[in-house]
Amino acid sequence: ACVNVMDCHDPYTPLPEHDEWGTKRGRELQRRRRECDANELGLLSDLYDGALRQVDANLGRLFESMRSRGTLDDTLVVVTSDHGEAFGELDHLGSNSRERFHGPGLTREEVLHVPLVVRYPQCTNSDRVNEPVSLTNFPDAVSAALEGASESDPFVTDPPILASSIDEELAEDPQHNRL
């Protein structure tokens, strides 16, 4: 089974029980988010945080339901994201520009640093990997889970891992080229 949640994609509309920080003004800004100034981006970030809380709560309910039905221990669980969002953080490349949301050139820590949580069937221990990992070997992970083998971690890959993608047409356009 695959569950794709869209709560953390624009528009950010967390339910009231998860929307601890959002404001009416922030919800109004979503309609014109590309025109927000740096001060207003924080209001959208607050809604995004509520959407993250909502995803976390919904995943918790899903896993608890699976546990109560006796299926969680037989399931390979992988939680990840396609990308993060930037809300006006300074560019780490020294250009003093501020990134907004995500664009075709994924070069920002805020956009690239996404969760990857893996729980193998019958898992009894845990480990934390701090190096970049990849889903390029995902079929191997599924095969290993089906076979009951988990001696190696197919998510940890040999370096280097490409951490940027810039559309060739945009790379030649000075307006979009930030490097």
Side-chain angles (χ1 to χ4, degrees):
C2 176
V3 178
N4 183 16
V5 295
M6 298 298 291
D7 306 53
C8 296
H9 281 78
D10 178 43
Y12 313 121
T13 56
L15 295 172
E17 62 265 28
H18 306 292
D19 189 11
E20 188 171 323
W21 307 283
T23 63
K24 181 179 178 184
R25 175 77 177 129
R27 286 183 281 282
E28 290 170 1
L29 286 172
Q30 286 196 106
R31 290 192 304 270
R32 59 178 188 88
R33 70 182 220 152
R34 296 286 178 204
E35 301 166 13
C36 293
D37 65 32
N39 296 324
E40 295 171 321
L41 287 174
L43 297 173
L44 295 180
S45 177
D46 292 342
L47 288 171
Y48 181 74
D49 291 345
L52 290 171
R53 290 182 76 218
Q54 184 166 292
V55 168
D56 185 57
N58 287 334
L59 288 175
R61 282 194 290 278
L62 172 66
F63 299 146
E64 184 53 41
S65 174
M66 292 174 70
R67 181 179 288 112
S68 70
R69 294 173 187 204
T71 59
L72 184 60
D73 285 338
D74 297 325
T75 303
L76 171 65
V77 176
V78 179
V79 177
T80 191
S81 177
D82 56 347
H83 57 77
E85 296 284 5
F87 292 99
E89 294 84 2
L90 274 175
D91 184 343
H92 300 289
L93 300 175
S95 70
N96 289 326
S97 66
R98 295 189 177 272
E99 191 67 31
R100 297 174 183 209
F101 313 107
H102 67 279
L106 301 177
T107 60
R108 307 280 312 195
E109 175 74 12
E110 294 79 16
V111 176
L112 291 173
H113 191 151
V114 298
L116 176 61
V117 179
V118 179
R119 183 183 184 276
Y120 288 97
Q122 307 301 323
C123 182
T124 58
N125 62 344
S126 64
D127 191 15
R128 181 180 184 137
V129 176
N130 293 316
E131 296 79 31
V133 297
S134 171
L135 289 175
T136 57
N137 296 332
F138 188 72
D140 295 337
V142 173
S143 295
L146 290 173
E147 296 165 7
S150 61
E151 294 174 14
S152 66
D153 191 343
F155 294 100
V156 178
T157 58
D158 292 329
I161 294 176
L162 179 64
S164 175
S165 67
I166 297 177
D167 185 291
E168 288 180 28
E169 291 178 23
L170 288 178
E172 294 177 13
D173 181 354
Q175 182 181 6
H176 290 96
N177 191 352
R178 296 179 182 249
L179 299 180

